[in-house]
Amino acid sequence: MAIISNCTASIIKDAALALKQGHLVAFPTETVYGLGADATNEKSVARIYEVKGRPTDHPLIVHISSINNLDKWAKDIPEYAIKLARAFWPGPMTLVLKRTDLAKDFITGGQDSVAIRVPSNTLANQLLREFESLGGYGVAAPSANRFGKVSPTNSQAVEEELGNFLLENEQILDGGQSQIGIESTIIDCTTNSPSILRPGYVTKEMIQALLGKKVLEPDFHKLQIKAPGSSESHYSPIAQVVINGFANSGDGFIALSEIPTPSGAVRLASPRNKLEYANVLYRALRLADSKGIKTVHVIPPVKQGIGVAINNRLTKASKNLRI
Ligand code: TXA
Ligand code: MG
């Protein structure tokens, strides 16, 4: 396993070839880092599950370079989904659509739908284009962390998570810090109206403004199988996360910069706004673990815009009973 920095065009070409030959490649996206494999290669996809320690009925997102390749993977695509794709792709949004025969059970967890995303990160997009130019159809890429853990937002975090599990011919492409820092918004487009399965940078308000129709609130209980990310205690560091509690001396503390640090607490991040909050959150939780901090107190931002997604991830992290 190697971390490859300064990813030139030829390095990206080699990485695409490695993917095509069946090897895993971890790569940056604008949301979080992904652990990539050829989405049509059953053995390579099985390797993703092995490296992540993830149950095999949890479906994966297929990444493609452009909306033009969408109909290879998805059929009966509703008009509103096309509108969403045209507005927010490339970008931090995943659409769940009816699958074609290309999307096998080993990608969808046996469901009739498939999750598709066109990332905007230039390295990711170049990698996908090279992969497709070699005859590839799409790259399955879950977040590059062990199952249930915090998603990595830089290449060092990928190494911390998966370094012990990756083989020599499996590489990590370094593309710096992920711009957004939390996972994509997942939108279920298999019904007459869209519903959000996982909140993210693309918000309910943005979707409603675009489509001029109401977006359904997710029913997280029904969604346990549809989107495992929607099950509780998912995005968890080793430290216990406490929301709006009272921080004792030595505890970690994360809040907007305008909120002062309680005396004796260890400030882990001081984001100036919600976007910065999303960007630093996972790094701050990792920092807590690396400092051996046992309890992290967080004051979440208001549940507005990307604040909804931040609150969603923090609530899950706080319910962790230590996996
Ligand atoms: O931002 C992201 O989406 C990142 C980057 C790497 O693209 N990927 C990511 O993948 O977060 P992962 O595997 O950690 O989360 C994918 C989520 C899971 O909760 C999964 O259940 C859901 O997508 N999903 C995949 N296919 C689905 C389907 N057919 N129906 C419903 N949910 C699905
Ligand atoms: Mg994940």
Side-chain angles (χ1 to χ4, degrees):
M1 188 273 306
I3 295 190
I4 304 179
S5 304
N6 303 320
C7 292
T8 57
S10 81
I11 284 175
I12 295 173
K13 248 187 195 162
D14 289 349
L17 187 62
L19 279 171
K20 194 72 184 63
Q21 288 170 339
H23 304 302
L24 299 189
V25 175
F27 61 96
T29 84
E30 69 278 19
T31 56
V32 300
Y33 274 64
L35 179 63
D38 179 347
T40 62
N41 184 330
E42 184 164 14
K43 265 200 188 151
S44 310
V45 172
R47 180 81 191 124
I48 286 185
Y49 285 98
E50 190 182 358
V51 169
K52 277 189 62 94
R54 171 162 162 153
T56 50
D57 60 346
H58 286 221
L60 300 173
I61 298 174
V62 177
H63 296 67
I64 56 178
S65 74
S66 114
I67 188 176
N68 298 334
N69 300 329
L70 185 58
D71 57 4
K72 296 191 173 77
W73 290 96
K75 62 180 183 188
D76 305 333
I77 304 169
E79 216 183 298
Y80 73 78
I82 302 284
K83 269 194 191 164
L84 286 168
R86 292 208 186 288
F88 300 119
W89 276 350
M93 176 188 75
T94 297
L95 299 182
V96 173
L97 297 157
K98 288 211 181 102
R99 67 170 168 177
T100 63
D101 290 343
L102 192 58
K104 300 283 190 259
D105 285 351
F106 59 80
I107 284 292
T108 70
Q111 302 187 67
D112 272 344
S113 57
V114 62
I116 307 284
R117 182 159 104 81
V118 178
S120 62
N121 176 286
T122 47
L123 202 164
N125 210 272
Q126 243 177 303
L127 179 67
L128 293 170
R129 267 187 282 133
E130 290 291 350
F131 179 74
E132 288 161 8
S133 77
L134 295 170
Y137 288 101
V139 173
S143 51
N145 51 281
R146 293 283 289 170
F147 181 63
K149 295 296 174 193
V150 175
S151 297
T153 56
N154 54 49
S155 58
Q156 294 90 317
V158 177
E159 192 187 20
E160 274 166 39
E161 283 286 326
L162 304 180
N164 290 338
F165 302 91
L166 291 174
L167 302 172
E168 216 167 296
N169 55 17
E170 295 170 329
Q171 45 188 312
I172 302 172
L173 301 183
D174 172 28
Q177 182 67 25
S178 291
Q179 298 92 321
I180 291 175
I182 56 174
E183 304 83 353
S184 62
T185 306
I186 303 181
I187 308 171
D188 186 356
C189 299
T190 59
T191 54
N192 285 339
S193 288
S195 59
I196 297 176
L197 301 182
R198 180 176 70 185
Y201 177 87
V202 174
T203 62
K204 183 171 131 176
E205 290 72 24
M206 288 157 79
I207 300 166
Q208 287 183 165
L210 176 80
L211 301 179
K213 77 199 245 173
K214 198 143 181 62
V215 174
L216 300 180
E217 295 287 346
D219 176 345
F220 284 111
H221 289 291
K222 268 201 206 141
L223 287 173
Q224 298 255 332
I225 307 161
K226 268 203 154 173
S230 67
S231 59
E232 285 182 357
S233 75
H234 196 70
Y235 305 91
S236 309
I238 297 164
Q240 183 61 51
V241 173
V242 179
I243 299 173
N244 292 326
F246 180 83
N248 291 307
S249 187
D251 288 350
F253 187 72
I254 302 172
L256 285 167
S257 56
E258 68 214 36
I259 302 170
T261 311
S263 92
V266 181
R267 189 84 186 206
L268 297 167
S270 299
R272 284 167 301 178
N273 52 49
K274 286 187 298 237
L275 278 180
E276 264 188 33
Y277 204 124
N279 190 267
V280 299
L281 177 61
Y282 288 162
R283 241 186 315 165
L285 292 175
R286 276 180 195 285
L287 183 62
D289 287 347
S290 74
K291 285 178 180 289
I293 290 172
K294 297 278 177 286
T295 306
V296 178
H297 284 267
V298 289
I299 314 279
V302 290
K303 284 185 194 161
Q304 239 173 32
I306 198 167
V308 175
I310 296 168
N311 277 273
N312 167 270
R313 306 303 194 277
L314 282 174
T315 303
K316 278 172 193 154
S318 73
K319 289 191 177 168
N320 185 306
L321 300 170
R322 271 176 224 210
I323 302 170

